[in-house]
């Protein structure tokens, strides 16, 4: 048998997600469990891959099987494609393996043309039916032009707005059949005007073009950005679902809705959704009209509502998770158009996980696996200060579509949001409604405010997925997008005006309301306790200040994996002494200058040990090149010249001589300690004296400092610096008449260190992978410059994500594996961790678990993400 590219809904089930995409697999599953699904077929994700392999063409075999699917659909539904008596109209929708709301395209009412429209109307003289047919036709022309032929929506929206103005009406539903017929004619003329050809009337041609458009949308810019943010591989492809239309816009006995079996913002176990009478599904999701809450559906369609409640229960019991469903009612009869595990905010995800365990739907292990670690980030986002909020009066209220507090300057376009944010401004994006191509602007904004749309509109769903605060459907806003201004409650907002929005309550305020750090709920503690039960990887934090260390401990950190000592030098009193050290001529002079810094460093370390209460603290010795510390302002240069008894010219010459062509590979890390051993001596004294002091005060704690030598590439280099450290430390401990254990280890951040780890392990008590530098050296990219060209790499699919954000497991990962495989046999007590930014990235954490690291270390707010990711890694790699 040739390849099978097409499956009817009766041939699939939910286990075939990789082949049929999420939507196709769930439509087949709903068919199997006896729910009312209009019977259609799915073209597989493999066909999408084939389409790209064939140079973006659908081959004859795929098209032939699609037409067999159409024939099957005609038989089951008793209607014929392109027939004048009883035409079959279809919808064409995308559906990838992973849910990507609003990222790819949909076409409704396909199969209409002038002849079919006239025949349908001739067969049913009811004027409301005539209006429905023209409404469906103008929608089809508009969607087909926008999605398939890439003629912008705005041309058609302008024609609709013009028509509504001429007729003196506010809503689309108020336009008559004659108005809509006229619109359809105007739309076709606009299509020809834009493309130079007539609107295609052959339904088979329409179908082929629509299928191609869905495949093509897998590669559109917004889908590529969404995939990169959500770790969805390009190679997966999307499936295409073709199914008979059911019409929510047939008459007032019809309608369409979107619902969640639990509240996606809070997780409360109650049905939440929205419904529009006499509308098509796109109207709810696109937020063109603001819908009514689902409970009102009971008054309008009691039988269908009762059946729908039953369906919700069936689906939750079947999938054991919160479901997001789209449905249509045609002449009071219910049809299910899709279901999926619903996107939810972080508080909702925790609430639902805890509830599902209580209700017996899930085990603790399954509940831990349900939560997306990246989502936890948003729990830790700031909220408005309660006192300030009480004192403020809201100007207006929309729907609290995605929780959080956002304040900033108003911008009116996604592009402006990106531009303003790039120069460091905090912005709130205000739109009539958002559309999927605006995703990068939505990402750049602190919050999103829309005039139209409900809790299930594009803006709401995408904002919830990104953890961005969103208020939608504030109809009181009088918007003038052209001129970048709006009024609300008599207050005029222009570009740059300050605004605050509350995504939990939906309230909108003029001006900036102060925010406070988030407080964490009981569900968070419950789920984290489950996660800690399953994980084997320890989680430390990168922290240089007691405040950061304390925050990280609250969030569950089990030690400090990286304390960067250079940040401590920039304090005005210390930097002066450090600059004197840099401009000294002899080692003795250098020691005098460094002795001024010693008490400060000792105080820093003491405060860190106290914050960690006997948990491990790993201190990295000075790493950056010296030129980062030298003065640039004239006043500072003069001050330094006076302190060193040198002329301003001499100081300038010294500063000048420190500049390097390639500082990242220059005089930094342990190379500083080789040139100026006095730096390592001073830092060792500070580490050991602080440890002795804290241990004496707290005999119940185990204070065992870990001293980390950065940027080592050769065993002799480590041996040289280690000797300085050990001699200094032992002398301090002896002088104090105490006993203290300490460790000396190294960062593995140069490929040569990984390749000679068997030698280095003879001198090191531990390894810590500095994956920021290791990535930089492995790729030969400068971290600070790569951003200038990486976008071209994403566009051409050379890279699917940023190697500095997501660990490159093939190249950098292989260096890490090599270092462990070489180092552990030589030194069985060697402990190994990672302390680059990758330590808080879930896929990188899983890799660290697999290759046998002892711990990951990440910034304080990413600690919960790493704890959950480590638990998921342990569960899935049992």
């Amino acid at each position: 048998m040739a390849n099978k590219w097409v499956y009817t809904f009766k041939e699939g089930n939910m286990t075939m997600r990789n082949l049929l995409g999420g939507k196709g697999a769930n439509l087949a599953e709903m068919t199997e469990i006896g729910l009312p699904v209009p019977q259609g077929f799915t073209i597989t994700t493999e066909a999408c891959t084939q389409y790209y392999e064939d140079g973006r063409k659908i081959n004859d075999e795929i098209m032939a099987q699609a037409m067999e699917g159409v024939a099957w659909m005609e038989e089951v539904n008793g209607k014929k494609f392109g027939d004048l008596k009883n035409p079959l109209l279809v919808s064409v929708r995308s559906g990838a393996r992973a849910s990507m709301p609003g990222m790819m395209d949909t076409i409704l009412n396909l199969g209409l043309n002038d002849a079919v429209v006239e025949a349908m109307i001739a067969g049913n003289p009811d004027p409301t039916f005539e209006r429905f047919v023209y409404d469906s036709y103008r929608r089809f022309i508009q969607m087909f032009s926008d999605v398939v032929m890439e003629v912008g929506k705005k041309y058609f929206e302008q024609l609709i707005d013009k028509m509504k103005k001429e007729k003196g009406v506010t809503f689309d539903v108020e336009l008559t059949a004659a108005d809509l017929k006229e619109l359809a004619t105007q739309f076709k003329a606009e299509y020809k005007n834009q493309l130079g050809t007539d609107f295609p009337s052959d339904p088979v041609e329409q179908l082929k073009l629509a299928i191609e458009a869905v495949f093509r949308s897998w590669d559109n810019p917004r889908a590529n950005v969404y995939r990169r943010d959500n770790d969805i591989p390009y190679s997966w492809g999307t499936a295409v679902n073709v199914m008979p239309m059911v019409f929510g816009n047939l008459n007032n006995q019809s309608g369409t809705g979107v619902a969640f079996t639990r509240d996606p913002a809070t997780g409360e176990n109650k049905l939440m959704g929205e419904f529009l009478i006499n509308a098509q599904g796109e109207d709810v999701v696109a937020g063109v009209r603001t819908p009514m809450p689902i409970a009102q559906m009971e008054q309008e369609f009691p039988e269908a509502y009762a059946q729908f409640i039953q369906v919700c229960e069936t689906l939750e019991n079947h999938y054991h998770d919160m479901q997001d469903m789209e449905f249509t009612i045609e002449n009071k009869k219910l049809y299910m158009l899709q279901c999926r595990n619903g996107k939810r905010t972080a508080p909702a995800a925790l609430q639902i996980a805890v509830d599902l365990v209580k209700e017996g739907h899930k085990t603790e292990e399954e509940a831990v696996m349900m939560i997306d670690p990246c989502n936890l980030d948003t729990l830790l986002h700031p909220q408005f200060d309660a006192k300030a909020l009480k004192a403020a009066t809201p100007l207006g209220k929309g729907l609290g579509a995605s929780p959080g507090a956002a304040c900033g300057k108003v911008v009116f376009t996604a592009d402006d949001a990106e531009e303003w944010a790039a120069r460091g401004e905090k912005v709130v994006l205000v739109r009539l409604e958002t559309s999927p191509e605006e995703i990068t602007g939505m990402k750049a904004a602190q919050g999103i405010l829309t005039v139209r749309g409900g809790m299930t509109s594009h803006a709401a769903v995408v904002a919830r997925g990104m953890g961005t605060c969103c208020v939608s459907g504030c109809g009181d806003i009088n918007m003038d997008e052209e001129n970048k201004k709006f009024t609300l409650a008599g207050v005029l907002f222009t570009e740059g005006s300050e605004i605050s929005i509350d995504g939990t309550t939906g309230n909108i305020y003029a001006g900036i309301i102060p925010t406070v750090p988030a407080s964490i709920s009981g569900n968070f503690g419950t789920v984290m306790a489950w996660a800690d039960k399953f994980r084997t990887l320890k989680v430390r934090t990168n922290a240089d200040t007691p405040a950061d260390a304390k925050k990280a401990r609250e969030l569950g950190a089990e030690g400090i994996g990286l304390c960067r000592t250079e940040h401590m030098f920039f304090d005005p009193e210390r930097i002066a002494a450090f600059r004197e050290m840099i401009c000294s001529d002899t080692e003795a002079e250098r020691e005098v200058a460094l002795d001024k810094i010693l008490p400060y460093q000792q105080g820093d370390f003491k405060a860190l040990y106290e914050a960690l209460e006997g948990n491990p603290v790993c201190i990295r010795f000075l790493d950056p090149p010296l030129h980062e510390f030298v003065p640039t302002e004239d006043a500072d240069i003069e001050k330094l010249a006076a302190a060193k008894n040198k002329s301003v010219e001499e100081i300038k010459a010294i500063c000048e001589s420190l500049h390097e062509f390639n500082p990242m590979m220059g005089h930094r890390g342990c190379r500083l300690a080789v040139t100026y051993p006095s730096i390592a001596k001073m830092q060792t004294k500070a580490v050991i004296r602080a440890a002795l002091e804290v241990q004496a005060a707290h005999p119940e704690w185990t204070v065992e400092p870990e001293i980390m030598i950065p940027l080592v590439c050769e065993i002799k280099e480590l041996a040289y610096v280690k000797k300085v450290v050990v001699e200094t430390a032992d002398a301090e401990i002896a002088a104090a008449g105490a006993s203290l254990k300490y460790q000396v280890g190294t960062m593995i951040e140069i490929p040569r260190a990984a390749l000679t780890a068997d030698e280095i392990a003879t001198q090191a008590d531990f390894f810590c992978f500095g994956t920021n530098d290791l990535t930089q050296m492995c790729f030969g990219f400068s971290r600070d410059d790569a951003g200038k060209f990486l976008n071209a790499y994403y566009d051409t699919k050379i890279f699917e994500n940023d190697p500095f954000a997501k660990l490159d497991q093939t190249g950098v990962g292989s260096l890490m594996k090599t270092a462990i495989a070489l180092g552990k046999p030589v030194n069985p007590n060697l402990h190994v961790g990672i302390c680059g930014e990758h330590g808080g990235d879930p896929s990188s954490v899983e890799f660290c678990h697999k290759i046998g690291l002892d711990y990951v270390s990440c910034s304080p707010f990413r600690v919960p993400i790493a704890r959950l990711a480590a638990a998921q890694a342990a569960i899935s790699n049992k």
Side-chain angles (χ1 to χ4, degrees):
M1 150 101 188
N3 282 324
K4 186 168 169 60
W5 303 109
V6 170
Y7 287 76
T8 70
F9 293 169
K10 286 198 160 54
E11 293 178 307
N13 60 50
M14 71 193 215
T15 61
M16 297 167 70
R17 192 181 182 96
N18 292 358
L19 187 64
L20 303 179
K23 193 174 290 184
N26 287 338
L27 284 163
E29 187 73 16
M30 286 198 288
T31 299
E32 195 172 290
I33 61 176
L35 300 184
V37 175
Q39 287 302 295
F41 62 87
T42 302
I43 305 172
T44 65
T45 53
E46 290 173 354
C48 178
T49 309
Q50 192 62 45
Y51 161 84
Y52 283 104
E53 277 174 19
D54 293 338
R56 300 194 177 218
K57 286 188 189 65
I58 292 183
N59 69 33
D60 298 343
E61 189 179 49
I62 296 174
M63 201 56 211
Q65 288 190 27
M67 291 320 292
E68 284 165 27
V70 169
W72 176 82
M73 209 158 62
E74 291 176 330
E75 205 177 306
V76 174
N77 295 288
K79 296 179 174 186
K80 282 200 99 56
F81 204 43
D83 186 56
L84 298 184
K85 291 275 182 296
N86 194 5
L88 172 70
L89 302 182
V90 299
S91 67
V92 180
R93 289 184 163 92
S94 64
R97 273 191 222 186
S99 163
M100 295 171 62
M103 291 305 122
M104 292 177 302
D105 295 322
T106 297
I107 299 109
L108 303 180
N109 310 326
L110 188 136
L112 285 175
N113 57 30
D114 290 354
V116 170
V117 164
E118 279 165 33
M120 283 172 77
I121 290 168
N124 183 341
D126 180 355
T128 58
F129 182 74
E130 182 188 4
R131 183 191 182 286
F132 149 72
V133 174
Y134 280 117
D135 184 41
S136 303
Y137 194 26
R138 68 95 193 164
R139 285 169 186 271
F140 169 55
I141 299 167
Q142 185 176 354
M143 267 189 179
F144 187 89
S145 306
D146 172 33
V147 169
V148 181
M149 307 311 283
E150 299 177 348
V151 175
K153 279 196 290 260
K154 62 172 188 204
Y155 298 108
F156 301 100
E157 283 166 358
Q158 283 163 358
L159 289 169
I160 299 173
D161 289 343
K162 189 168 143 241
M163 172 74 74
K164 288 197 290 201
K165 225 185 201 134
E166 280 169 16
K167 304 289 173 186
V169 300
T170 325
F171 297 109
D172 299 2
V173 274
E174 298 172 281
L175 295 171
T176 64
D179 299 339
L180 293 167
K181 181 177 181 177
E182 170 58 25
L183 265 183
T185 312
Q186 290 178 9
F187 280 10
K188 280 188 299 185
E190 183 63 37
Y191 180 95
K192 187 162 186 177
N193 169 36
Q194 294 281 339
L195 295 168
T197 55
D198 285 321
F199 189 82
S201 59
D202 172 13
V204 177
E205 187 193 350
Q206 293 174 354
L207 180 64
K208 185 174 181 183
L209 289 167
I211 294 167
E212 283 185 338
V214 172
F215 284 156
R216 194 173 60 226
S217 71
W218 177 248
D219 195 24
N220 71 31
R222 62 181 193 252
N224 284 325
V225 168
Y226 187 90
R227 273 202 298 278
R228 206 158 60 234
D229 286 348
N230 292 281
D231 269 355
I232 299 170
Y234 176 67
S235 57
W236 281 4
T238 180
V240 179
N241 300 290
V242 180
M243 60 202 281
M245 282 300 301
V246 281
F247 295 100
N249 63 333
L250 183 58
N251 49 34
N252 285 335
Q253 308 303 303
S254 308
T256 184
V258 174
F260 296 86
T261 54
R262 299 174 190 237
D263 186 326
T266 65
E268 190 188 340
N269 189 356
K270 66 165 204 279
L271 181 66
M272 199 210 93
E274 297 176 320
F275 187 74
L276 270 173
I277 292 180
N278 197 349
Q280 283 197 330
E282 284 298 298
D283 298 349
V284 183
V285 181
V288 180
R289 280 161 58 192
T290 299
M292 60 185 184
I294 194 121
Q296 269 175 272
M297 185 177 138
E298 191 171 11
Q299 284 100 56
E300 308 285 342
F301 304 105
E303 301 88 351
Y305 184 75
Q307 188 190 356
F308 181 64
I309 296 296
Q310 201 49 59
V311 165
C312 290
E313 199 167 314
T314 305
L315 285 174
E316 250 212 14
N317 290 331
H318 188 74
Y319 285 100
H320 303 295
D321 199 349
M322 183 264 271
Q323 294 301 297
D324 163 0
M325 302 152 298
E326 286 181 22
F327 63 94
T328 285
I329 288 171
E330 179 180 306
N331 276 330
K332 299 196 171 177
K333 184 166 166 14
L334 174 72
Y335 294 94
M336 296 303 295
L337 303 184
Q338 93 159 357
C339 73
R340 60 181 176 207
N341 291 346
K343 295 262 176 213
R344 59 206 73 176
T345 62
L350 295 174
Q351 185 65 53
I352 290 169
V354 170
D355 286 347
L356 289 174
V357 171
K358 275 187 199 148
E359 293 161 24
H361 281 293
K362 297 273 185 199
T363 63
E364 290 177 1
E365 217 166 82
E366 288 167 333
V368 165
M369 291 304 289
M370 276 174 70
I371 295 166
D372 174 5
C374 296
N375 211 342
L376 293 178
D377 210 14
T378 60
L379 278 182
L380 313 167
H381 283 192
Q383 307 293 326
F384 285 126
D385 174 49
K387 272 227 286 286
L389 202 58
K390 244 191 171 140
T393 314
L395 282 183
K397 190 175 171 68
L399 301 165
S402 179
C407 45
K409 296 180 174 174
V410 171
V411 292
F412 290 88
T413 70
D415 292 345
D416 288 342
E418 273 188 272
E419 258 173 56
W420 287 48
R423 57 170 196 252
E425 299 270 15
K426 291 192 163 160
V427 298
V428 173
L429 177 63
V430 185
R431 304 282 293 144
L432 271 172
E433 69 225 352
T434 63
S435 64
E437 53 275 12
E438 295 171 3
I439 181 158
T440 48
M442 294 168 73
K443 260 174 63 184
Q446 303 292 312
I448 299 156
L449 169 60
T450 70
V451 180
R452 300 185 191 144
M455 296 290 278
T456 52
S457 65
H458 168 264
V461 173
V462 172
R464 280 198 290 271
M466 296 194 298
T468 300
C469 162
C470 173
V471 173
S472 65
C474 176
D476 296 339
I477 288 178
N478 187 346
M479 174 65 110
D480 177 358
E481 276 191 326
E482 284 290 88
N483 298 305
K484 297 192 175 179
K485 59 182 186 186
F486 70 89
T487 50
L488 175 61
V491 178
L492 174 69
F493 288 84
T494 53
E495 192 174 53
S497 300
E498 293 186 329
I499 193 168
S500 298
I501 60 174
D502 185 334
T504 310
T505 60
N507 286 338
I508 301 159
Y509 305 88
I512 301 281
I513 294 177
T515 55
V516 293
S519 58
I520 291 162
S521 78
N523 291 332
F524 178 82
T526 306
V527 172
M528 281 296 149
W530 294 339
D532 291 342
K533 245 196 281 197
F534 303 122
R535 72 184 163 92
T536 52
L537 205 56
K538 295 256 183 249
V539 178
R540 296 192 187 185
T541 188
N542 302 342
D544 323 324
T545 67
D548 280 353
K550 209 165 147 276
K551 185 80 217 167
R553 291 274 294 135
E554 281 166 28
L555 297 173
E558 301 163 287
I560 289 182
L562 172 65
C563 163
R564 302 177 174 94
T565 51
E566 54 274 6
H567 292 176
M568 304 169 164
F569 283 91
F570 284 105
D571 195 275
E573 291 162 312
R574 311 178 192 191
I575 192 81
F578 196 68
R579 286 169 178 168
E580 288 171 29
M581 187 284 302
I582 294 172
C583 295
S584 298
D585 298 321
T586 65
E587 193 66 1
E589 259 185 73
R590 272 192 280 280
E591 285 184 4
V592 171
L594 287 166
D595 278 343
K596 296 183 189 171
I597 301 174
L598 178 62
Y600 293 114
Q601 276 262 277
Q602 186 177 332
D604 293 330
F605 297 146
K606 181 184 169 195
L608 281 179
Y609 295 141
E610 285 172 344
L612 274 121
E613 305 179 334
N615 283 291
V617 177
C618 180
I619 292 166
R620 178 180 77 183
F621 276 8
L622 193 66
D623 185 44
L626 295 179
H627 75 79
E628 288 190 15
F629 299 97
V630 298
T632 49
E633 303 289 319
D634 285 347
D636 291 335
I637 294 174
E638 283 161 18
K639 194 170 140 194
L640 181 56
K644 290 307 290 176
N645 251 333
K646 286 183 160 59
S647 71
V648 167
E649 278 60 43
E650 281 175 288
I651 296 291
K652 280 188 174 165
I654 294 171
C655 296
E656 211 43 52
S657 70
L658 291 172
H659 279 277
E660 297 174 298
F661 288 109
N662 195 340
M664 288 316 284
M665 297 170 84
H667 190 188
R668 55 172 282 226
C670 65
R671 301 158 195 175
L672 292 172
V674 171
T675 335
Y676 307 123
S678 48
I679 299 180
K681 281 184 197 158
M682 181 276 289
Q683 291 200 292
T684 305
K685 284 179 191 168
V687 166
I688 299 298
R689 286 177 190 177
L692 289 166
E693 204 181 328
V694 174
Q695 194 172 21
H698 295 277
E700 72 281 12
W701 294 348
T702 317
V703 182
E704 187 177 331
E706 297 175 10
I707 292 173
M708 182 153 71
I709 312 297
L711 216 73
V712 163
C713 67
E714 156 66 44
I715 172 70
K716 297 202 260 307
E717 182 182 38
L718 175 61
Y720 177 82
V721 179
K722 184 180 175 180
K723 184 168 178 276
V724 173
V725 171
V726 170
E727 283 173 0
T728 310
D730 291 351
E732 287 292 330
I733 295 165
S739 71
L740 178 78
K741 277 194 182 146
Y742 63 94
Q743 299 180 22
V744 182
T746 183
M747 301 266 286
I748 302 286
E749 47 191 340
I750 292 178
R752 191 176 189 279
L755 299 171
T756 58
D758 48 346
E759 297 180 358
I760 290 176
T762 59
Q763 286 284 340
D765 295 321
F766 62 89
F767 284 171
C768 184
F769 291 106
T771 47
N772 301 353
D773 266 317
L774 193 56
T775 298
Q776 180 160 253
M777 307 252 189
C778 183
F779 277 92
F781 283 163
S782 149
R783 187 170 63 201
D784 303 319
D785 301 312
K788 293 176 192 155
F789 56 81
L790 278 179
N791 280 333
Y793 276 60
Y794 304 142
D795 295 344
T796 49
K797 309 286 182 299
I798 295 172
F799 284 176
E800 287 197 26
N801 29 45
D802 176 354
F804 291 107
K806 188 179 167 206
L807 187 69
D808 157 47
Q809 299 181 8
T810 322
V812 178
S814 144
L815 286 170
M816 293 168 71
K817 282 187 203 157
T818 303
I820 294 171
L822 291 174
K824 287 246 174 174
V826 177
N827 179 355
N829 296 325
L830 188 79
H831 61 94
V832 186
I834 177 177
C835 62
E837 266 316 294
H838 295 114
D841 166 65
S843 62
S844 309
V845 170
E846 181 172 18
F847 178 73
C848 293
H849 171 89
K850 280 186 187 158
I851 63 171
L853 259 61
D854 297 296
Y855 68 86
V856 297
S857 187
C858 54
S859 55
F861 284 106
R862 294 192 80 83
V863 166
I865 298 176
R867 285 165 69 196
L868 184 58
Q872 293 180 348
I875 294 167
S876 40
N877 293 288
K878 264 187 179 161

